[in-house]
Amino acid sequence: MTEIFGIPIQAFMGQLMLGLVNGSFYAMLSLGLAVIFGLLGIVNFAHGALYMIGAYVAWFSLEKFGLNYWFALVLAPLMVGALGVVIERTLLRHLYKLDPIYGLLLTFGLALIAEGLFREQFGVSGQSYPVPDILQGATNLGFMVLPNYRAWVVLASLLICLGTWILIEKTSLGATLRAGTENPKLVQAFGINVPLMVMFTYAGGAALAAVAGVLAAPIIQVTPLMGSNLIIVVFAVVVIGGMGSILGSILTGLALGLIEGLTKVFYPEASSIVVFVIMAIVLMIRPAGLFGKEK
């Protein structure tokens, strides 16, 4: 059997694929965080809770209404996006002119409330969610056996991340969004409803978290703790990539997932801290992050 660094190639590539899947979730979640912080200046600690709620929407819609995975991929972002509208209109809009710490504390409180409510209702043992029939099984590539669903997760994540980056960085709508957050009075003078635009921006970030939750549901147990277990790592990804940098969040999320996967191969004991070690090194060398703008 062919080996890489003394490790069977199938085991090595399997771990690399697992790292790429984790990196896809890091990229999608950090993308949503970067969109919200970059355009609204809010450090959205509720992002992990929105990810968890998206997964529960998928599970609940299947268990109670028989709606399959593909319906959930549409339903969850719509419902969580609507929840984002409520949060932005009732709470966050009062904080935009204040220090970002107030937004962090508010969204952290919202995350604790959501987690507590779901723990009270569903417990902490977790619920299983089936892989859709069309994506079951695996494909033998010769050098590794690739689970079809994990390949779909990576592909879907890349398409969503790329589409979001193009929308914000390469279109007139994205230019209007950036202008509206930097100089809202000037943009409003052109007849654009900036508060409405801001509301939909937060809703879009929330919807991204929900899509990630639905994609994750067949891979991991759907549990109230799934968001809080992941959000700290995702924040580290955002800091490394550069707060507010959309491209930085995508590239850094994928890269750190791969690095984490490789660390599990060569030094498993360090796999849970390698992201934070990298964050500390990056902050010492470049405090604004790899893709952030120095002030």
Side-chain angles (χ1 to χ4, degrees):
M1 181 180 290
T2 305
E3 295 184 348
I4 298 178
F5 302 111
I7 301 170
I9 188 170
Q10 287 201 341
F12 180 86
M13 295 303 296
Q15 198 61 56
L16 205 61
M17 184 63 193
L18 182 60
L20 187 58
V21 170
N22 289 337
S24 298
F25 290 123
Y26 295 163
M28 281 196 67
L29 288 170
S30 62
L31 172 63
L33 282 174
V35 167
I36 291 171
F37 181 81
L39 298 178
L40 307 184
I42 293 290
V43 181
N44 186 34
F45 223 96
H47 211 64
L50 297 172
Y51 160 77
M52 175 267 292
I53 292 171
Y56 265 105
V57 168
W59 176 81
F60 193 82
S61 61
L62 178 65
E63 289 293 313
K64 302 301 180 182
F65 303 105
L67 300 178
N68 65 22
Y69 174 85
W70 305 107
F71 279 102
L73 270 178
V74 176
L75 181 64
L78 289 176
M79 292 187 66
V80 177
L83 176 61
V85 168
V86 174
I87 293 172
E88 197 280 333
R89 285 290 84 190
T90 58
L91 299 171
L92 292 180
R93 70 187 182 94
H94 302 291
L95 305 179
Y96 294 139
K97 295 182 180 180
L98 302 179
D99 191 288
I101 189 66
Y102 292 101
L104 187 153
L105 292 173
L106 173 63
T107 55
F108 181 64
L110 291 175
L112 292 178
I113 291 170
E115 184 179 306
L117 290 173
F118 276 80
R119 288 181 68 173
E120 177 69 23
Q121 183 66 33
F122 299 104
V124 295
S125 59
Q127 313 290 340
S128 60
Y129 188 87
V131 173
D133 293 340
I134 195 172
L135 296 174
Q136 289 182 358
T139 301
N140 191 340
L141 301 179
F143 58 89
M144 69 172 293
V145 177
L146 176 64
N148 294 333
Y149 186 76
R150 282 174 164 76
W152 156 249
V153 166
V154 173
L155 177 61
S157 300
L158 289 175
L159 290 175
I160 291 169
C161 289
L162 180 61
T164 304
W165 176 75
I166 291 173
L167 176 66
I168 293 176
E169 297 291 343
K170 302 296 182 181
T171 67
S172 58
L173 174 60
T176 304
L177 285 172
R178 297 195 303 275
T181 55
E182 292 174 7
N183 196 334
K185 291 183 179 179
L186 177 62
V187 174
Q188 278 186 310
F190 287 95
I192 296 172
N193 190 332
V194 173
L196 186 66
M197 187 173 63
V198 168
M199 180 187 74
F200 281 115
T201 299
Y202 187 83
L208 284 172
V211 173
V214 178
L215 290 174
I219 296 178
I220 62 176
Q221 289 282 304
V222 179
T223 166
L225 303 178
M226 62 188 289
S228 57
N229 291 341
L230 190 60
I231 194 63
I232 300 300
V233 177
V234 174
F235 265 106
V237 171
V238 173
V239 170
I240 294 169
M243 292 294 288
S245 172
I246 294 172
L247 182 61
S249 294
I250 297 170
L251 296 179
T252 304
L254 293 170
L256 289 177
L258 289 172
I259 291 172
E260 190 178 65
L262 289 174
T263 305
K264 289 179 180 178
V265 173
F266 296 107
Y267 191 30
E269 295 83 356
S271 61
S272 61
I273 64 169
V274 64
V275 172
F276 303 103
V277 172
I278 294 172
M279 181 181 72
I281 294 171
V282 169
L283 288 178
M284 286 190 292
I285 298 172
R286 187 175 169 82
L290 297 177
F291 297 87
K293 295 179 180 179
E294 298 282 358
K295 293 185 178 180

